[in-house]
Amino acid sequence: GRTAGAVINAITKSGTNAYRGSLFASYTGERVTAKDFFVAQNNLEKPDTSQTDWGGTLGGPILRDRMHFFYSLDRLVYAEGRSNTFTARPELDYSNTQRMKLWNHMIRVDHQLNGNNSWCARYLSENSPTYDRISGRRAQVAKDQEFDIDRTMVATWNAVFGNTRFNTLRGAYTWEKNGFTAKEVQDGIPMTELPVSLTMLTFLDGFANGAQFRINGSAEVSDSYSWYVPGLWGGSHDIKFGGQYIYSTIELPDQTDMNGRFQFSTDAAFDANNFRTYPERLFIRVPAASASFLPTHVGVLFAQDKWAIGNLTMNLGLRYDIEATPMPNEFNPSFTSGNYPVDKNNLSPRVGLAWRPKGSSSQLIRGGWGLFYDKITLITTTPFLNQGVFSDSFVAAFPTDRADAGPSSGNRPTNPFLVNGPVVNRDAINALFPPGSLGRNTGVVYLDSPDRSVPRTSQLTMGYERQIRSTMAATVDYVHSWNQNQLMTYNLNPGTRVNTTRTGAITYTDLEGIANTLGITPFGNAVYERVNEGSSQFDGVNFSLEKRLSAGWAARVSYAIGYARGNAEANQTYINQLQVGADPKLDLNFGPLDNDRKQNLAISGRYEIPHTGGLNVSGVYRWMSGIPITIQDTNFDPDRNGILFDPVAAGSYCGTGVNSICVENKGGRNGARGPGFQQADMRFGYRFRKGANQTFDVNFELYNLANTANFDNPTGDIRSTDFLRLTALRGGNGQRRAAQFSVRMGF
């Protein structure tokens, strides 16, 4: 992700002069898997929950001493139980099995041309569709499928120049097609011919409305040159410099909401004789499906030196990044034709220090500082392309900017697209937005800003490590990150509601007179641009005590305490919902970040049981505090900015009904905390040896020993009947208690 300073090395095995390989298989089934919390609580039918994973590897010579191959196969069939319960509609309670079927192939070839030159290449293919998928709060009829294919190719040329210089030239290409759509869409049926979707007060009913595929491609070439220089300026130097070029693209074929999605103010089923069950809004994609395509060019130059002087080692580096995302920016008065923002001044210095006090062999002091520039994600910029002032595909809403006041007050809706209930009037829609035309976007408009630049993070670390015994060490590290120039979404056409009611009329103010400049009628909805006004900070301290494997056992205890806060999330698409008029109200946005966990404790260990000939037991326990939640009431719009997001006052708040919780709310954005997390896992393993090169492993694993139910955050909206009620398990199924059996043969 966008974590500054992370280094990840993924190393693929290569073949040798001898044929070596492995065969493996693992299994877990319904009989050794507990019911999830909601299935057990509501006496639902236990869904099929099983997993089989088998495959193997094989490596060996193509030309002895010169060329070798390595191949890996993995086949995974995963049946995962999911469940949902609905307080207002218990007849919709269900358990469901979603199935993922994965094939994963990898082939690698290495060739030693001579003593100084070698090349290697690898190809990875993964096909992992998921069927009957349930994600989040949705009725079983709204299940969908995931379509996922990945392809990666990498080739590397290594050249050695004498004893001190080394060069690596690398080329890579990655392609992925991924989509979350109903089965019918993947079978080629247009969304316009499929039933409507129903957004109830607390869940999605009817047909699954999502119908977007995401197709990513990325081609890369990079070169790095390493040079070891001893005896210069009092020490030795490992110097490395190089560059990289990346061309990446995103394509988004999108039919989402083309079937029509009706929004309701209740969870009750539609009743033609009860106006409260009528829809209060319709969302529908018009005039046609979207097919946006956007490329990005990235260039990188870097130089670094690892300089060792006695007991001190310094890492000095400088990096330069530039990226360009060409886009037309039509109907955007901030740009002349063909222009787009390019941030050209992204120089990143880095410095790191490691010092052994007085040449100590048992103590180490380390630290570093660096400036890191983000990459602008294509999901950040695609709205400028497909949600502009005029578009051939956008989501229109009826009414345009707020809910119809009728249903929530017990009256028939007045909007003509809602008066007959959840039925799409295709003829009327097509008359307003003729298919194949370029239409005026009546939904939310996105305009790029010529001042948009790349977000950056300044990170400082300091740490101390001490060896306590020959096999034990303790560490403590402090980390500070300051995220600057974070992108957040600012409204150039802010609204003012006539009163504080949820359905009150909204008038808009075009802050920059964009509609007048373009010679068009005023905008009736938000006009967003992404601006670099956000910032956030993180401070954390990490402690660990580790005993390395000796005398048959090893263990590790690690604990982290931290605080992440700011006025914007670092996801580049954060929408400022507290803006009033032209004032962004950044002070009101300030609060804990969405994924801020105050505490994180992990304890793990391994013990080789003596006199058993190879039996070992290992385990891990993890505990984490909860993440933030905003307590709000979307019945009202106190600041009258037209956005139903207003944190309520500080105090104690409790949900009602089964599985409800209470929280202490400090007020403001993310002022409360949701439930924490804890889980303990254990593994028993035994290894048999037959000769020098053959092994046979048998393992038995137990996940979530105590069958602890870990929950996602509940909704903090007082208007919702699910307010502060635990309705979803973490990760979708909560990782209920399960046993797994596995075997592996190595040869």
Side-chain angles (χ1 to χ4, degrees):
R2 288 175 290 278
T3 302
V7 175
I8 299 173
N9 290 318
I11 300 173
T12 305
K13 286 185 177 180
S14 60
T16 65
N17 280 334
Y19 288 100
R20 295 281 186 266
S22 65
L23 296 173
F24 66 86
S26 66
Y27 169 79
T28 185
E30 180 182 349
R31 292 186 177 182
V32 292
T33 303
K35 293 181 178 181
D36 80 36
F37 177 86
F38 295 108
V39 168
Q41 184 184 64
N42 295 277
N43 199 28
L44 300 175
E45 181 181 355
K46 184 180 179 182
D48 179 21
T49 303
S50 62
Q51 176 177 316
T52 57
D53 186 6
W54 58 266
T57 64
L58 180 64
I62 299 175
L63 294 174
R64 191 171 182 83
D65 296 326
R66 299 290 297 276
M67 181 179 283
H68 305 88
F69 77 94
F70 181 83
Y71 172 73
S72 170
L73 167 68
D74 189 14
R75 173 60 167 168
L76 175 64
V77 179
Y78 186 29
E80 182 180 5
R82 295 289 179 99
S83 62
N84 261 313
T85 58
F86 309 93
T87 302
R89 302 274 297 280
E91 72 277 10
L92 296 180
D93 293 356
Y94 67 91
S95 59
N96 176 78
T97 297
Q98 63 181 40
R99 302 178 189 275
M100 189 267 283
K101 300 180 179 181
L102 174 146
W103 285 105
N104 193 319
H105 301 269
M106 194 280 291
I107 182 71
R108 170 172 169 159
V109 175
D110 293 80
H111 188 189
Q112 185 73 38
L113 296 172
N114 53 47
N116 294 328
N117 293 275
S118 65
W119 63 266
C120 70
R122 66 174 170 84
Y123 173 73
L124 173 69
S125 169
E126 180 182 288
N127 189 342
S128 55
T130 300
Y131 305 95
D132 297 326
R133 194 184 75 103
I134 293 291
S135 177
R137 296 284 287 160
R138 58 174 62 191
Q140 192 171 20
V141 70
K143 62 187 177 183
D144 62 15
Q145 295 187 5
E146 179 183 4
F147 180 96
D148 190 10
I149 297 177
D150 300 271
R151 306 282 187 267
T152 300
M153 294 173 284
V154 179
T156 303
W157 184 288
N158 296 314
V160 177
F161 304 97
N163 296 325
T164 60
R165 290 167 293 166
F166 182 81
N167 191 81
T168 298
L169 176 65
R170 181 178 184 271
Y173 179 74
T174 299
W175 181 88
E176 178 187 22
K177 183 176 182 180
N178 186 270
F180 298 93
T181 76
K183 177 182 183 298
E184 291 82 352
V185 176
Q186 295 187 21
D187 290 341
I189 300 175
M191 284 289 282
T192 52
E193 299 178 12
L194 296 171
V196 297
S197 304
L198 310 174
T199 303
M200 312 307 293
L201 178 61
T202 64
F203 65 94
L204 177 68
D205 198 2
F207 203 75
N209 67 304
Q212 182 190 78
F213 286 89
R214 174 177 52 82
I215 305 170
N216 290 102
S218 178
E220 170 199 339
V221 59
S222 63
D223 187 84
S224 63
Y225 187 86
S226 300
W227 186 12
Y228 177 70
V229 183
L232 178 64
W233 299 331
S236 63
H237 299 258
D238 281 321
I239 300 171
K240 180 180 286 189
F241 54 89
Q244 180 184 43
Y245 169 73
I246 304 171
Y247 174 72
S248 56
T249 62
I250 187 170
E251 184 179 355
L252 298 171
D254 193 358
Q255 297 185 65
T256 298
D257 285 333
M258 287 194 73
N259 60 323
R261 175 169 53 90
F262 289 93
Q263 178 178 294
F264 298 80
S265 61
T266 177
D267 281 335
F270 175 68
D271 178 356
N273 298 313
N274 181 357
F275 293 144
R276 289 189 181 275
T277 67
Y278 275 64
E280 62 178 12
R281 211 168 179 197
L282 166 65
F283 298 89
I284 187 165
R285 181 173 293 276
V286 293
S290 174
S292 56
F293 176 85
L294 198 63
T296 287
H297 305 268
V298 173
V300 176
L301 295 173
F302 75 92
Q304 66 185 51
D305 181 16
K306 181 180 178 181
W307 184 4
I309 311 174
N311 300 324
L312 176 66
T313 299
M314 294 185 292
N315 290 277
L316 308 173
L318 183 65
R319 177 185 172 104
Y320 176 72
D321 293 81
I322 187 170
E323 63 179 77
T325 304
M327 64 181 71
N329 279 311
E330 292 180 293
F331 309 108
N332 186 340
S334 297
F335 293 89
T336 56
S337 179
N339 285 340
Y340 49 88
V342 180
D343 190 1
K344 300 178 180 179
N345 61 347
N346 299 332
L347 274 172
S348 311
R350 288 97 186 266
V351 58
L353 301 173
W355 176 50
R356 294 185 292 119
K358 299 180 180 179
S360 172
S361 60
S362 61
Q363 297 182 75
L364 180 67
I365 296 173
R366 55 179 175 249
W369 173 87
L371 187 63
F372 304 87
Y373 282 90
D374 208 341
K375 292 283 191 297
I376 298 294
T377 65
L378 290 171
I379 292 295
T380 302
T381 50
T382 46
F384 305 139
L385 183 68
N386 58 24
Q387 289 182 249
V389 178
F390 292 91
S391 176
D392 58 5
S393 182
F394 61 92
V395 176
F398 305 92
T400 300
D401 61 352
R402 66 189 186 280
D404 191 300
S408 60
S409 59
N411 299 313
R412 182 187 290 271
T414 58
N415 188 278
F417 288 97
L418 306 176
V419 293
N420 295 319
V423 179
V424 174
N425 186 337
R426 286 285 170 191
D427 292 336
I429 291 290
N430 291 339
L432 285 174
F433 305 99
S437 64
L438 184 68
R440 171 73 185 275
N441 183 0
T442 61
V444 173
V445 172
Y446 278 84
L447 296 176
D448 201 1
S449 168
D451 299 322
R452 175 174 57 83
S453 60
V454 178
R456 64 179 182 267
T457 296
S458 178
Q459 182 168 293
L460 173 69
T461 63
M462 294 183 291
Y464 174 73
E465 180 172 357
R466 183 180 181 89
Q467 180 177 314
I468 300 173
R469 295 180 179 177
S470 60
T471 60
M472 186 177 293
T475 64
V476 57
D477 289 279
Y478 166 72
V479 180
H480 172 78
S481 291
W482 181 23
N483 305 312
Q484 304 160 277
N485 276 24
Q486 295 294 303
L487 287 169
M488 64 190 309
T489 306
Y490 179 80
N491 192 354
L492 297 172
N493 192 48
T496 303
R497 202 182 293 272
V498 66
N499 52 39
T500 61
T501 66
R502 185 174 67 90
T503 57
I506 304 172
T507 58
Y508 292 92
T509 302
D510 190 339
L511 298 177
E512 298 184 4
I514 297 171
N516 185 60
T517 301
L518 295 174
I520 58 177
T521 57
F523 295 99
N525 219 318
V527 178
Y528 285 141
E529 70 171 354
R530 308 234 197 255
V531 296
N532 297 93
E533 292 188 354
S535 66
S536 59
Q537 295 187 54
F538 170 78
D539 288 278
V541 181
N542 304 325
F543 302 91
S544 72
L545 178 64
E546 181 173 5
K547 195 269 185 186
R548 291 181 289 277
L549 183 64
S550 65
W553 69 281
R556 178 183 174 88
V557 179
S558 60
Y559 172 74
I561 183 169
Y563 181 33
R565 69 277 187 198
N567 58 28
E569 300 295 324
N571 56 18
Q572 300 188 6
T573 59
Y574 177 76
I575 296 179
N576 178 4
Q577 300 184 85
L578 294 171
Q579 176 183 344
V580 177
D583 188 349
K585 299 287 184 180
L586 295 181
D587 57 327
L588 297 182
N589 274 280
F590 187 86
L593 299 185
D594 289 349
N595 291 305
D596 174 49
R597 287 194 188 271
K598 294 289 187 183
Q599 301 180 79
N600 189 337
L601 170 68
I603 303 172
S604 61
R606 177 188 176 193
Y607 179 58
E608 297 178 348
I609 300 176
H611 313 301
T612 61
L615 179 63
N616 65 80
V617 58
S618 57
V620 59
Y621 169 79
R622 190 176 188 188
W623 172 85
M624 298 184 291
S625 55
I627 59 176
I629 182 174
T630 300
I631 306 300
Q632 57 177 310
D633 188 350
T634 59
N635 279 305
F636 307 102
D637 185 7
D639 59 10
R640 296 173 52 205
N641 68 347
I643 303 172
L644 297 174
F645 179 86
D646 296 278
V648 300
S652 299
Y653 293 85
C654 292
T656 58
V658 65
N659 302 328
S660 61
I661 64 171
C662 295
V663 298
E664 291 298 321
N665 179 37
K666 296 180 179 180
R669 185 175 74 89
N670 284 338
R673 294 266 168 183
F677 171 92
Q678 63 174 327
Q679 181 170 314
D681 305 323
M682 184 168 286
R683 181 189 194 202
F684 299 88
Y686 197 92
R687 166 164 286 189
F688 302 89
R689 291 189 178 274
K690 185 178 181 181
N693 297 318
Q694 294 186 30
T695 60
F696 192 81
D697 294 275
V698 180
N699 299 301
F700 173 67
E701 293 152 321
L702 286 169
Y703 298 100
N704 196 359
L705 292 172
N707 201 27
T708 304
N710 291 300
F711 299 93
D712 279 341
N713 270 3
T715 177
D717 185 0
I718 295 173
R719 175 173 167 250
S720 173
T721 54
D722 282 342
F723 173 63
L724 290 183
R725 288 184 59 248
L726 301 174
T727 61
L729 294 164
R730 187 176 188 266
N733 67 0
Q735 180 60 67
R736 75 292 306 271
R737 181 172 54 223
Q740 179 170 278
F741 307 88
S742 63
V743 294
R744 180 186 183 277
M745 181 179 69
F747 60 89

